[in-house]
Amino acid sequence: MQSESGGAGMLVVISGPSGVGKTTIVRSVVDRLPDATLSVSATTRTKTGQDQEGVDYFFLSEDEFMKWVDEGRLLEHANYAGNWYGTPKAPVDELLDDHRIVILEIDVQGGLLVKEREPDALSLFILPPTEETLLERLKGRGRDDEQVIQKRFSEAKREIQVATESGAYDHSIVNDDLEGAIDKACKLILDERARRSGTVNASGA
Ligand code: 5GP
């Protein structure tokens, strides 16, 4: 699917519970849409072996993070599973000015805040086919111990409930087939962008 060039900047929020395949979907969307860029968040969580500073996150101490909050450098921030996460505002503004599609992969609390502050943001929520598949995926990642898995699983169920009941998400995408979910996310983004610029989506949708 080709991205159109030269359209207006657009903010896209993508949320979904831990283990739903959100990161894979978001990275594939960014690969497929040349105009799309993923915002790099700030966090106080511990850097894992796979994480790259400035690529996956900006890793900050709690004091540094709170300084960024006080200085108004974050578009939104939220505490997730005991750690702070936030979206740096200046890079997002610059990318939007540059007519880019800026993707925020953030939790539901952050998603609600962005929708409140930036009502024009397109918001997508990724759902697992069933709660059981989500639990299986969390276990299958081999990343966390049983206690952390159970914590992330209950958090995931709560996130799904809040996202559904708040009505803050414009569309939901069930990740029962990865390629299908990526296609749907790309199509929703391109359709919305085409609608805003008053043109027909090049995908023919
Ligand atoms: P993880 O620690 O697994 O990388 O991320 C945990 C959760 O924090 C995920 O749901 C992720 O989407 C969310 N998250 C990552 N960056 C941000 C951010 O900047 N703001 C908010 N509110 N959530 C974030």
Side-chain angles (χ1 to χ4, degrees):
M1 191 181 284
Q2 287 295 303
S3 169
E4 294 171 341
S5 58
M10 188 167 93
L11 196 56
V12 179
V13 171
I14 301 186
S15 304
S18 195
V20 79
K22 189 178 35 168
T23 305
T24 311
I25 293 172
V26 167
R27 286 179 199 267
S28 304
V29 168
V30 171
D31 282 348
R32 283 196 205 174
L33 306 183
D35 291 347
T37 305
L38 184 58
S39 153
V40 180
S41 296
T43 185
T44 61
R45 90 144 155 73
T46 311
K47 187 168 173 260
T48 68
Q50 294 146 13
D51 289 320
Q52 274 182 274
E53 168 71 33
V55 176
D56 296 289
Y57 285 106
F58 296 108
F59 291 92
L60 304 180
S61 68
E62 196 144 334
D63 283 352
E64 285 168 329
F65 189 95
M66 287 311 157
K67 194 161 177 270
W68 282 34
V69 172
D70 291 344
E71 289 171 357
R73 291 172 66 176
L74 299 176
L75 174 62
E76 59 74 38
H77 67 283
N79 195 291
Y80 181 92
N83 297 304
W84 289 103
Y85 294 84
T87 305
K89 193 172 182 314
V92 169
D93 288 344
E94 275 167 35
L95 288 162
L96 289 174
D97 285 348
D98 204 22
H99 304 291
R100 308 280 302 173
I101 295 166
V102 185
I103 301 187
L104 312 183
E105 184 203 328
I106 60 178
D107 83 328
V108 171
Q109 305 167 71
L112 299 185
L113 286 170
V114 171
K115 266 303 223 192
E116 224 175 85
R117 291 172 193 170
E118 309 283 340
D120 280 350
L122 174 70
S123 52
L124 310 179
F125 193 79
I126 317 285
L127 283 165
T130 63
E131 283 184 1
E132 289 69 34
T133 39
L134 185 65
L135 184 57
E136 287 313 309
R137 283 186 200 168
L138 283 171
K139 288 184 174 172
R141 295 200 296 191
R143 182 176 115 170
D144 305 308
D145 64 29
E146 185 61 27
Q147 204 188 350
V148 174
I149 289 169
Q150 289 304 333
K151 193 172 168 193
R152 285 194 176 248
F153 185 49
S154 23
E155 182 63 26
K157 288 190 282 189
R158 203 188 58 81
E159 277 197 276
I160 292 171
Q161 193 186 357
V162 173
T164 314
E165 288 174 2
S166 67
Y169 285 84
D170 301 314
H171 304 278
S172 53
I173 298 173
V174 179
N175 185 16
D176 47 4
D177 152 54
L178 185 60
E179 276 307 305
I182 297 165
D183 281 348
K184 187 166 180 198
C186 290
K187 183 177 180 318
L188 287 166
I189 293 168
L190 289 183
D191 283 354
E192 180 59 20
R193 197 184 197 209
R195 192 185 67 76
R196 289 182 191 189
S197 61
T199 60
V200 177
N201 182 354
S203 70

